[in-house]
Amino acid sequence: MGRLASLYLFAYNAAQACGWTIALIKLILTVSSTNSFDGAYAACGELICLLQFSAVMEVFHSAIGIVPSRVLPVLMQWGGRFHFVAAIISQIPEVQKLPAVFITFMSWSLSEVIRYPQYALNTIELCPGWLTWLRYSAFIVLYPIGALIGEMPAMYKALPYIKKKNIYGDAFNKLPFSYYSFIVAVLVCYPFLWLKLYMYMFKQRKSKLGKRGESKKALRPKIRVE
């Protein structure tokens, strides 16, 4: 990787880390001050929407090869998250106060305040081993919570409002299906797509942490038995 690309990736990931740290702090302060999960979207919904929109750059990073990630999993994760927060939650005020939205935002924020600092420090070769381990281990708990307890229930609860308000009716008018039908299809496919991404992340974990273990073994002094 060239020096310029490394500096750019460090700046991008550091900016995302700062943004998600602010979002996490806002979530915690809102819950602690109100003793309620209702204000999650009001506190940081717009910020998270902006952060998710800007994360489209990660698709381009993969596409042009400045990071080793595969394009399709990155695109799937980015598309799913951005669609959830920008196309559904931001458009339906009745859904914004659901506990599922708070659960989603909290799991995303916790994941990203680990992931982005690890990426940033890794580009300048200053990432501690414990942070790499945490990056490739925290998702085991956070990813199912965010997707299965947060995103899916929130989308399901949004269905009656999507149908009642005919959301994006004009955009889907010339298509043989409505936006409501599209979301129903997404919910049916979601567990299978989620599982595919989840398994891919386990492969990444094995690859990254396995290499780290092999490097440690290689650095150990060899004891010669005579």
Side-chain angles (χ1 to χ4, degrees):
M1 190 190 303
R3 181 176 175 80
L4 191 60
S6 295
L7 289 173
Y8 160 73
L9 286 174
F10 175 79
Y12 167 80
N13 287 300
Q16 284 279 12
C18 290
W20 282 104
T21 300
I22 292 170
L24 179 61
I25 291 170
K26 283 188 171 186
L27 279 171
I28 293 171
L29 290 177
T30 299
V31 172
S32 61
S33 63
T34 63
N35 292 319
S36 170
F37 300 137
D38 295 355
Y41 185 86
C44 59
E46 291 184 1
L47 173 59
I48 287 179
C49 192
L50 176 63
L51 291 169
Q52 285 297 159
F53 174 74
S54 61
V56 71
M57 294 306 300
E58 292 165 41
V59 180
F60 293 108
H61 297 165
S62 299
I64 64 177
I66 62 172
V67 297
S69 304
R70 289 164 48 195
V71 177
L72 185 58
V74 175
L75 178 61
M76 286 173 63
Q77 185 165 22
W78 173 79
R81 284 187 170 192
F82 184 64
H83 172 258
F84 172 83
V85 69
I88 300 177
I89 304 303
S90 68
Q91 302 300 316
I92 307 174
E94 295 89 344
V95 177
Q96 292 171 5
K97 294 184 178 182
L98 291 174
V101 173
F102 169 80
I103 292 169
T104 302
F105 284 0
M106 181 60 74
S107 65
W108 285 4
S109 299
L110 288 171
S111 297
E112 305 302 38
V113 297
I114 297 168
R115 184 169 73 99
Y116 283 114
Q118 194 271 335
Y119 282 172
L121 293 174
N122 201 44
T123 59
I124 56 175
E125 300 182 353
L126 290 175
C127 185
W130 64 265
L131 185 57
T132 298
W133 181 88
L134 192 60
R135 154 73 183 96
Y136 291 103
S137 300
F139 81 89
I140 297 172
V141 174
L142 293 175
Y143 194 44
I145 290 174
L148 304 181
I149 304 177
E151 296 172 48
M152 283 192 70
M155 285 193 287
Y156 178 77
K157 292 284 187 180
L159 283 174
Y161 302 104
I162 292 172
K163 191 171 187 178
K164 182 180 178 181
K165 297 181 179 184
N166 192 28
I167 291 179
Y168 308 119
D170 293 337
F172 280 75
N173 193 33
K174 295 182 180 180
L175 297 174
F177 55 90
S178 64
Y179 184 67
Y180 174 86
S181 301
F182 171 72
I183 296 300
V184 170
V186 168
L187 282 170
V188 171
C189 298
Y190 203 96
F192 304 101
L193 296 173
W194 171 82
L195 186 60
K196 186 177 179 65
L197 279 173
Y198 197 45
M199 292 299 101
Y200 171 72
M201 291 163 80
F202 269 102
K203 287 180 181 178
Q204 275 192 316
R205 183 179 193 271
K206 184 178 180 181
S207 172
K208 299 294 183 180
L209 299 187
K211 286 179 183 177
R212 199 166 140 256
E214 289 172 7
S215 299
K216 282 185 176 181
K217 286 180 182 178
L219 291 172
R220 286 178 190 164
K222 293 183 180 179
I223 301 173
R224 214 167 83 182
V225 179
E226 307 221 354

